Amino acid sequence: MFLTWAVSLFGGVVAVVLLTVSVACGLFLAAEFAEEHVTLTGKLLRSALKVVLALHVVLLVDGTLPAWAVAVGIGCHCCYAVLVADFPHIDATSPAALCSLVALLVDHVAWFRSLKGDLGPLNTIGFFLLYIWLVPVGCILCFSVNDLALPIGRVDETARSTSLLKAALESAAALIRTRLNYAYDHQKGY
């Protein structure tokens, strides 16, 4: 009996690990696609937003799910529309992005309270994938696209965006150079 339980537990853990790796690989592939095809990604994201909003309206007309939860979902997707409107220039710290994050949390709470296990686990996951996670995950994947997008308008050639790590390393190297130059000049008596 114990051996069966141990093997089942081990198999379950392996399945969860493999599922997690598969999802991570899929998200990485989607992020790579978004970086390589910025225009198409923007069109797909806007189309997905319109389709999900239309499906929310269908849910509202159908009436099988609570109208207040559907209204919360529509409001949340309107927040996402403000974020997607400036694609590919999505700033993760902008008020629209922060509002979208709060909207995502509110949307989760609303649907968890309204569904309460009525659909079953697999149907609930499918519902959440389509109605709640599709557009926000697309926006999150597109945060890296902003770094690769061409600037609009005149750009100052001296001001280039760099990664945080590169900027920190350059600052540290400049500090070391000035300290070494100071020590060298002080040693020569300048």
Side-chain angles (χ1 to χ4, degrees), residues 92-128:
T93 59
S94 69
L98 298 176
C99 178
S100 296
L101 180 65
V102 170
L104 179 64
L105 295 174
V106 169
D107 203 16
H108 272 83
V109 169
W111 283 112
F112 275 128
R113 285 182 176 236
S114 66
L115 292 177
K116 295 181 185 169
D118 294 340
L119 296 177
L122 194 56
N123 291 341
T124 302
I125 290 172
F127 182 86
F128 270 63

Coordinates of all heavy atoms in Angstrom, one line a residue, residues 92-128:
A92 N 5.6 49.2 -17.9 CA 5.1 48.3 -16.7 C 4.8 49.2 -15.5 O 4.1 48.7 -14.6 CB 6.2 47.3 -16.4
T93 N 5.3 50.4 -15.4 CA 5.1 51.2 -14.2 C 4.1 52.3 -14.5 O 3.9 53.2 -13.6 CB 6.4 51.8 -13.7 OG1 7.0 52.6 -14.7 CG2 7.3 50.7 -13.2
S94 N 3.5 52.3 -15.7 CA 2.5 53.4 -16.0 C 1.2 53.2 -15.2 O 0.9 52.1 -14.7 CB 2.2 53.4 -17.5 OG 1.5 52.2 -17.8
P95 N 0.5 54.3 -15.0 CA -0.8 54.1 -14.3 C -1.8 53.1 -15.0 O -2.5 52.4 -14.3 CB -1.4 55.6 -14.3 CG -0.2 56.5 -14.5 CD 0.8 55.7 -15.3
A96 N -1.7 53.1 -16.3 CA -2.6 52.1 -17.1 C -2.2 50.7 -16.7 O -3.0 49.8 -16.6 CB -2.5 52.4 -18.6
A97 N -0.9 50.4 -16.6 CA -0.4 49.1 -16.3 C -0.8 48.7 -14.9 O -1.2 47.6 -14.6 CB 1.1 49.0 -16.5
L98 N -0.6 49.6 -14.0 CA -0.9 49.4 -12.6 C -2.5 49.2 -12.4 O -2.9 48.3 -11.6 CB -0.4 50.5 -11.7 CG 1.1 50.7 -11.7 CD1 1.5 51.9 -10.8 CD2 1.8 49.4 -11.2
C99 N -3.2 50.0 -13.1 CA -4.7 49.8 -13.1 C -5.1 48.5 -13.7 O -6.0 47.8 -13.2 CB -5.3 51.0 -13.9 SG -7.1 50.9 -14.0
S100 N -4.4 48.0 -14.7 CA -4.7 46.7 -15.3 C -4.3 45.6 -14.4 O -5.1 44.6 -14.3 CB -3.9 46.6 -16.6 OG -4.3 47.5 -17.6
L101 N -3.3 45.8 -13.6 CA -2.9 44.7 -12.6 C -4.0 44.6 -11.5 O -4.4 43.5 -11.2 CB -1.6 45.1 -12.0 CG -1.1 44.1 -11.0 CD1 -0.8 42.7 -11.6 CD2 0.2 44.6 -10.3
V102 N -4.4 45.8 -11.0 CA -5.5 45.8 -10.0 C -6.8 45.2 -10.6 O -7.5 44.4 -10.0 CB -5.7 47.2 -9.5 CG1 -7.0 47.2 -8.6 CG2 -4.5 47.6 -8.7
A103 N -7.1 45.5 -11.9 CA -8.3 45.0 -12.5 C -8.2 43.5 -12.7 O -9.2 42.8 -12.5 CB -8.4 45.7 -13.9
L104 N -7.0 43.0 -13.0 CA -6.8 41.5 -13.1 C -7.1 40.8 -11.7 O -7.8 39.8 -11.7 CB -5.4 41.2 -13.5 CG -5.1 39.7 -13.7 CD1 -5.9 39.1 -14.8 CD2 -3.6 39.5 -14.0
L105 N -6.6 41.4 -10.7 CA -6.9 40.8 -9.3 C -8.4 40.9 -9.0 O -9.0 39.9 -8.5 CB -6.1 41.6 -8.3 CG -4.6 41.4 -8.4 CD1 -3.9 42.3 -7.4 CD2 -4.2 40.0 -8.2
V106 N -9.0 42.0 -9.3 CA -10.5 42.2 -9.1 C -11.3 41.2 -9.9 O -12.2 40.6 -9.4 CB -10.9 43.6 -9.3 CG1 -12.4 43.8 -9.4 CG2 -10.3 44.6 -8.3
D107 N -10.9 41.0 -11.2 CA -11.5 40.0 -12.0 C -11.4 38.6 -11.5 O -12.4 37.9 -11.5 CB -10.9 40.1 -13.4 CG -11.8 39.7 -14.5 OD1 -13.1 39.5 -14.3 OD2 -11.4 39.4 -15.7
H108 N -10.3 38.2 -11.0 CA -10.1 36.9 -10.4 C -11.1 36.7 -9.2 O -11.7 35.7 -9.1 CB -8.7 36.7 -9.9 CG -7.8 36.2 -11.0 ND1 -7.2 37.0 -11.9 CD2 -7.4 34.9 -11.3 CE1 -6.5 36.2 -12.7 NE2 -6.6 35.0 -12.3
V109 N -11.1 37.7 -8.3 CA -11.9 37.6 -7.1 C -13.4 37.5 -7.6 O -14.2 36.7 -7.0 CB -11.7 38.8 -6.2 CG1 -12.7 38.8 -5.1 CG2 -10.3 38.7 -5.6
A110 N -13.8 38.3 -8.5 CA -15.2 38.3 -9.0 C -15.6 36.9 -9.5 O -16.7 36.4 -9.2 CB -15.4 39.4 -10.0
W111 N -14.7 36.4 -10.4 CA -15.1 35.1 -11.0 C -15.0 34.0 -10.0 O -15.8 33.0 -10.1 CB -14.3 34.9 -12.2 CG -14.8 35.7 -13.4 CD1 -14.2 36.7 -14.0 CD2 -16.1 35.6 -14.0 NE1 -15.0 37.2 -15.0 CE2 -16.1 36.5 -15.0 CE3 -17.2 34.7 -13.8 CZ2 -17.2 36.7 -15.8 CZ3 -18.3 34.9 -14.7 CH2 -18.3 35.9 -15.6
F112 N -14.0 34.0 -9.1 CA -13.9 32.9 -8.1 C -15.2 32.9 -7.2 O -15.7 31.9 -6.9 CB -12.7 33.1 -7.2 CG -11.5 32.5 -7.7 CD1 -10.3 33.2 -7.9 CD2 -11.4 31.2 -8.2 CE1 -9.2 32.7 -8.4 CE2 -10.3 30.6 -8.7 CZ -9.1 31.3 -8.8
R113 N -15.7 34.1 -6.9 CA -16.9 34.2 -6.0 C -18.1 33.8 -6.8 O -19.0 33.2 -6.2 CB -17.1 35.6 -5.5 CG -16.1 36.0 -4.4 CD -16.4 37.4 -3.9 NE -15.5 37.6 -2.8 CZ -16.0 38.0 -1.6 NH1 -17.3 38.2 -1.4 NH2 -15.1 38.2 -0.6
S114 N -18.2 34.1 -8.1 CA -19.4 33.8 -8.8 C -19.5 32.3 -9.3 O -20.5 31.8 -9.4 CB -19.6 34.7 -10.0 OG -18.5 34.5 -10.9
L115 N -18.3 31.7 -9.6 CA -18.3 30.4 -10.1 C -18.5 29.3 -9.0 O -19.3 28.4 -9.1 CB -17.1 30.1 -11.0 CG -17.0 30.9 -12.3 CD1 -15.7 30.5 -13.0 CD2 -18.2 30.5 -13.2
K116 N -17.7 29.5 -8.0 CA -17.7 28.6 -6.8 C -17.8 27.1 -7.2 O -18.5 26.3 -6.6 CB -18.9 28.9 -5.9 CG -18.9 30.3 -5.3 CD -20.1 30.5 -4.5 CE -20.1 32.0 -4.0 NZ -21.3 32.4 -3.4
G117 N -17.0 26.7 -8.1 CA -16.9 25.3 -8.5 C -18.0 24.7 -9.3 O -18.2 23.5 -9.4
D118 N -18.9 25.6 -9.9 CA -20.0 25.1 -10.6 C -19.6 24.4 -11.9 O -20.3 23.6 -12.4 CB -21.0 26.3 -10.9 CG -21.6 26.8 -9.7 OD1 -21.6 26.1 -8.7 OD2 -22.1 28.0 -9.7
L119 N -18.5 24.8 -12.5 CA -18.1 24.3 -13.8 C -17.2 23.1 -13.8 O -17.1 22.4 -14.8 CB -17.3 25.4 -14.6 CG -18.1 26.7 -15.0 CD1 -17.2 27.7 -15.7 CD2 -19.3 26.4 -15.8
G120 N -16.6 22.7 -12.7 CA -15.7 21.6 -12.7 C -14.3 22.2 -13.0 O -14.1 23.2 -13.6
P121 N -13.3 21.4 -12.6 CA -11.9 22.0 -12.7 C -11.4 22.2 -14.1 O -10.8 23.3 -14.4 CB -11.0 20.9 -12.0 CG -11.9 19.7 -11.7 CD -13.3 20.1 -12.0
L122 N -11.6 21.3 -15.0 CA -11.2 21.5 -16.4 C -11.9 22.7 -17.1 O -11.3 23.5 -17.8 CB -11.3 20.2 -17.2 CG -10.5 20.2 -18.5 CD1 -9.1 20.4 -18.3 CD2 -10.7 18.9 -19.2
N123 N -13.2 22.7 -16.9 CA -14.0 23.8 -17.5 C -13.6 25.2 -16.9 O -13.6 26.2 -17.6 CB -15.5 23.6 -17.4 CG -15.9 22.4 -18.2 OD1 -15.3 22.0 -19.2 ND2 -17.1 21.8 -17.9
T124 N -13.3 25.2 -15.6 CA -13.0 26.4 -14.9 C -11.6 26.9 -15.5 O -11.5 28.1 -15.7 CB -12.9 26.2 -13.4 OG1 -14.1 25.8 -12.9 CG2 -12.5 27.5 -12.7
I125 N -10.7 26.0 -15.7 CA -9.4 26.4 -16.2 C -9.6 27.0 -17.6 O -9.0 28.0 -18.0 CB -8.4 25.2 -16.2 CG1 -8.0 24.9 -14.8 CG2 -7.2 25.6 -17.0 CD1 -7.2 23.7 -14.6
G126 N -10.4 26.3 -18.4 CA -10.7 26.8 -19.8 C -11.3 28.2 -19.8 O -11.0 29.1 -20.6
F127 N -12.3 28.4 -18.9 CA -13.0 29.6 -18.7 C -12.0 30.7 -18.4 O -11.9 31.8 -18.9 CB -14.1 29.5 -17.7 CG -14.9 30.8 -17.5 CD1 -16.0 31.0 -18.3 CD2 -14.5 31.7 -16.5 CE1 -16.7 32.2 -18.2 CE2 -15.3 32.9 -16.4 CZ -16.3 33.1 -17.2
F128 N -11.1 30.4 -17.4 CA -10.1 31.4 -16.9 C -9.1 31.7 -18.0 O -8.7 32.9 -18.2 CB -9.4 30.9 -15.7 CG -10.1 31.3 -14.4 CD1 -11.4 30.9 -14.1 CD2 -9.5 32.2 -13.5 CE1 -12.0 31.3 -12.9 CE2 -10.1 32.6 -12.3 CZ -11.4 32.1 -12.1

